[in-house]
Amino acid sequence: MTSTREIVPRKERVLLPREIEGMISAGQVIVIIDNKVLRLDSWVPYHPGGLKPVQHMIGKDATDEFTIFHSEETRQLIDRYQVGRINGRWRNMLPPIQGGSCRPYAEKSAEAQDATAVDYWPKAFPSKKSKCVENLGIQQRLGSFHYLPHEPSKPDNQKLAFLDGLSRNEIMNTLNNYPALDEATQVKITQRYRRLHDQIRAEGLYNCNYTAYAWEFGRCLFLFGAMLLFLRIRWFCASAVFLGCFWSQLVFCAHDAAHLSITHNFTIDSLIGMIIAGPMGGLSLGWWKRNHNVHHIVTNAPEHDPDNQHLPLLAVSHRFLEGIFSTYYERRIRYGRAASMLVPFQAYSYYFILMFGRFNLYIQSWTFLAGGHGPKKGSAWWHRWFEIAGNVLFWLWFGYGVVYKSIPTGWSRFSFIMISHMVTLPLHVLFTLSHFAMSTADLGPNESFAQKMLRTTMDVDCPEWLDFAYGGLQFQIVHHLFPRVPRHNLRHTQKLVQQFCTETNIPYTLYGFVGSNKKVVSSLTEVSRQATTLAKCQQAIAQRAADYLKAEHEREGLTKDYNLTCD
């Protein structure tokens, strides 16, 4: 006799959690969207945003992330990848890229028949009222920290104990300040967030104000014209200042285009963004999107967010003091000798380092383009070659036409290059203000997308007449919640988000420009203090161990000089 399960169309059959776990265990890319189970193996090579963002969604309900990042046209394509459905609410797994593990599925086993077999899901952290730190599962969450309490004499174990203690404190402080992570609370936040998204769409805040972009175009034209004028009359320093301001304004528009917030059409916005980034700015939009998409998915996660990984120059979290394995770069980033010398002074070197930020963008862009790291299939296969041509054109007009041909002396050329690039310092400061001082705690896969974005992101307050200078980057909370909302609508959207935070009891972090800078510098100073304390503790422990061993061997009649150093 044929069962009901067998006559249901394949796409509509209900899959058990253990079946989905088994599919992931077999290496399949499984994501849940709108209660539909999607197998994206065949789509991933064509994804313009790269593989990494999808990997961080495996085994999770990615409805919110998918909805806010993709156009309506893309969202209509998901049904072709559907392999089943789920009943009820999905409890997120920890994706394999983040350390999650899955068991193979045997259809005829007794366990497979048990629809309630969900023991592989990580448990939620206790509510903020709980005092039981031991139940936080800190060692499982942090991965690289494995404190061994039965070996207290070893400096490495003391170091890990110290860092684990800091991580526990960070998690407990976060739990005390944000809504509890129980399912009921997080479901309410998600439902309210989705209603907010519908409200923003209904109020037309996704519609682009093209008149505002006419003003943007006029501003950029004025800055570039002023650069040429002062270059012609040989006021090279003034010319360099205007060129740096021109590049900064261009970045704002390229950022909008990369998020498809200008026309909401993938091809048109990609062309706009690549033309701005490449021949005008000398950068790769493809590299930026590959990097930035991951940042939006795993914001402020030290092991996963490339925008946080700046060793040996900066450590924005104590978790970098042990070194981390970067899932983005797929290599271990070590806290080595250079970092141990630089990080203790990072609060003083922070602005100096950011003055050279644009040079790093050149390196990252050419590494991406030369290595062919972008999409090789699908609608974006040609982007790499378009961007290479654009970047070559940039160096022809800027490197050859402006710097070499128009400026007569070597010192003047050097000054022009350095001034034009260092003028972009405020832009790079804006990039970092919104995240460097915010939470880096890993609260597990049960935290709602909306709460995670609000917990890891800060807004910078400024008067409305200065919005052109901030380019929308001052509304990073709003942008992280709704990245496709056009820049010129973010101020109005901010009021709706603040109301949402009031209703859900989630703190909305807002500082002025001076206050946000103080907050970031204070955070960097705290990590520096932790690094210094850790180094002193290790030195003291190593010295005690050396003294003990020396005394022991002297008692045995040995005179060998033991000189132990701390790693």
Side-chain angles (χ1 to χ4, degrees), residues 187-403:
V187 166
K188 288 180 181 178
I189 292 173
T190 297
Q191 291 173 341
R192 180 65 187 88
Y193 170 67
R194 292 175 182 177
R195 290 198 299 271
L196 175 60
H197 177 259
D198 293 337
Q199 180 183 359
I200 289 172
R201 180 182 294 174
E203 292 190 16
L205 294 176
Y206 274 104
N207 299 331
C208 184
N209 182 356
Y210 293 110
T211 302
Y213 275 104
W215 285 103
E216 300 289 348
F217 178 78
R219 187 179 301 116
C220 291
L221 193 62
F222 166 77
L223 292 172
F224 192 77
M227 183 274 290
L228 292 177
L229 173 64
F230 285 110
L231 183 67
R232 182 176 181 83
I233 64 176
R234 304 174 73 86
W235 288 22
F236 299 128
C237 290
S239 177
V241 169
F242 279 102
L243 179 58
C245 293
F246 170 72
W247 281 336
S248 295
Q249 290 294 315
L250 284 182
V251 166
F252 301 146
C253 297
H255 180 250
D256 298 341
H259 280 290
L260 310 185
S261 63
I262 299 179
T263 69
H264 300 303
N265 179 282
F266 174 76
T267 301
I268 296 176
D269 277 357
S270 295
L271 273 172
I272 293 173
M274 287 188 293
I275 291 173
I276 292 173
M280 295 184 183
L283 306 176
S284 166
L285 190 77
W287 162 76
W288 182 87
K289 291 176 69 172
R290 179 175 180 260
N291 183 94
H292 198 65
N293 288 340
V294 176
H295 163 70
H296 268 270
I297 294 294
V298 285
T299 307
N300 252 25
E303 297 87 356
H304 312 301
D305 183 357
D307 282 4
N308 266 9
Q309 298 168 359
H310 303 294
L311 284 180
L313 300 176
L314 298 170
V316 300
S317 168
H318 66 272
R319 287 158 67 178
F320 287 100
L321 302 182
E322 167 60 11
I324 61 157
F325 182 85
S326 169
T327 59
Y328 180 82
Y329 294 108
E330 298 181 349
R331 61 180 174 84
R332 185 162 186 81
I333 300 178
R334 300 186 180 278
Y335 186 79
R337 185 178 299 273
S340 65
M341 291 188 295
L342 295 173
V343 168
F345 304 98
Q346 64 181 4
Y348 304 99
S349 63
Y350 166 62
Y351 295 106
F352 179 77
I353 291 170
L354 294 185
M355 290 174 67
F356 300 91
R358 190 170 181 86
F359 294 105
N360 176 59
L361 300 185
Y362 293 143
I363 296 171
Q364 297 292 342
S365 295
W366 276 107
T367 301
F368 173 83
L369 294 173
H373 299 303
K376 298 179 176 62
K377 298 180 179 180
S379 58
W381 70 267
W382 54 277
H383 287 189
R384 178 195 179 197
W385 308 107
F386 187 87
E387 289 203 283
I388 289 176
N391 276 266
V392 170
L393 182 60
F394 168 81
W395 288 106
L396 285 175
W397 76 259
F398 170 69
Y400 179 75
V402 173
V403 176

Side-chain angles (χ1 to χ4, degrees), residues 4 46 144 180 309 322 421 454 489:
T4 304
Y46 298 88
S144 62
Q309 298 168 359
E322 167 60 11
H421 285 66
L454 285 158
N489 295 337

Side-chain angles (χ1 to χ4, degrees), residues 111-129:
E111 180 190 33
Q113 304 303 319
D114 181 9
T116 64
V118 294
D119 58 291
Y120 59 91
W121 272 293
K123 306 300 183 185
F125 286 119
S127 70
K128 59 184 178 183
K129 296 180 180 179

Side-chain angles (χ1 to χ4, degrees), residues 4-20:
T4 304
R5 181 179 176 85
E6 292 174 334
I7 63 175
V8 172
R10 179 177 177 82
K11 286 188 174 184
E12 298 300 324
R13 70 186 185 94
V14 176
L15 296 176
L16 303 178
R18 281 290 290 113
E19 290 181 272
I20 296 174

Side-chain angles (χ1 to χ4, degrees), residues 314-514:
L314 298 170
V316 300
S317 168
H318 66 272
R319 287 158 67 178
F320 287 100
L321 302 182
E322 167 60 11
I324 61 157
F325 182 85
S326 169
T327 59
Y328 180 82
Y329 294 108
E330 298 181 349
R331 61 180 174 84
R332 185 162 186 81
I333 300 178
R334 300 186 180 278
Y335 186 79
R337 185 178 299 273
S340 65
M341 291 188 295
L342 295 173
V343 168
F345 304 98
Q346 64 181 4
Y348 304 99
S349 63
Y350 166 62
Y351 295 106
F352 179 77
I353 291 170
L354 294 185
M355 290 174 67
F356 300 91
R358 190 170 181 86
F359 294 105
N360 176 59
L361 300 185
Y362 293 143
I363 296 171
Q364 297 292 342
S365 295
W366 276 107
T367 301
F368 173 83
L369 294 173
H373 299 303
K376 298 179 176 62
K377 298 180 179 180
S379 58
W381 70 267
W382 54 277
H383 287 189
R384 178 195 179 197
W385 308 107
F386 187 87
E387 289 203 283
I388 289 176
N391 276 266
V392 170
L393 182 60
F394 168 81
W395 288 106
L396 285 175
W397 76 259
F398 170 69
Y400 179 75
V402 173
V403 176
Y404 181 73
K405 293 291 290 183
S406 303
I407 302 177
T409 66
W411 174 250
S412 297
R413 292 167 184 163
F414 175 78
S415 299
F416 184 90
I417 292 173
M418 298 309 294
I419 292 173
S420 62
H421 285 66
M422 290 180 179
V423 164
T424 64
L425 169 64
L427 175 66
H428 295 283
V429 171
L430 276 174
F431 286 152
T432 61
L433 285 183
S434 299
H435 303 292
F436 272 18
M438 298 304 291
S439 171
T440 60
D442 181 1
L443 301 188
N446 297 304
E447 184 180 25
S448 63
F449 173 76
Q451 179 169 313
K452 182 168 67 174
M453 294 301 104
L454 285 158
R455 177 174 60 83
T456 57
T457 310
M458 174 200 305
D459 268 5
V460 180
D461 196 20
C462 76
E464 187 171 355
W465 64 270
L466 259 182
D467 281 352
F468 77 93
Y470 287 76
L473 297 182
Q474 73 272 38
F475 301 115
Q476 281 294 291
I477 287 179
V478 187
H479 173 66
H480 270 254
L481 290 171
F482 305 102
R484 289 187 303 109
V485 169
R487 184 208 325 171
H488 305 97
N489 295 337
L490 291 177
R491 182 170 288 276
H492 181 73
T493 307
Q494 183 188 51
K495 299 176 182 178
L496 302 179
V497 172
Q498 289 173 327
Q499 181 182 350
F500 162 80
C501 290
T502 301
E503 295 173 355
T504 55
N505 294 318
I506 302 177
Y508 189 98
T509 308
L510 177 66
Y511 289 90
F513 184 76
V514 174

Side-chain angles (χ1 to χ4, degrees), residues 124-130 132-143 145 163-181 303 317-319 439-444 447 451 455:
F125 286 119
S127 70
K128 59 184 178 183
K129 296 180 180 179
S130 173
C132 184
V133 179
E134 299 303 321
N135 289 338
L136 291 177
I138 185 69
Q139 293 178 18
Q140 177 184 359
R141 291 280 174 251
L142 300 183
F145 300 112
L163 296 174
D164 275 356
L166 294 176
S167 297
R168 288 187 177 91
N169 290 337
E170 182 185 22
I171 289 177
M172 290 307 297
N173 289 336
T174 302
L175 292 174
N176 287 332
N177 292 317
Y178 286 84
L181 295 176
E303 297 87 356
S317 168
H318 66 272
R319 287 158 67 178
S439 171
T440 60
D442 181 1
L443 301 188
E447 184 180 25
Q451 179 169 313
R455 177 174 60 83

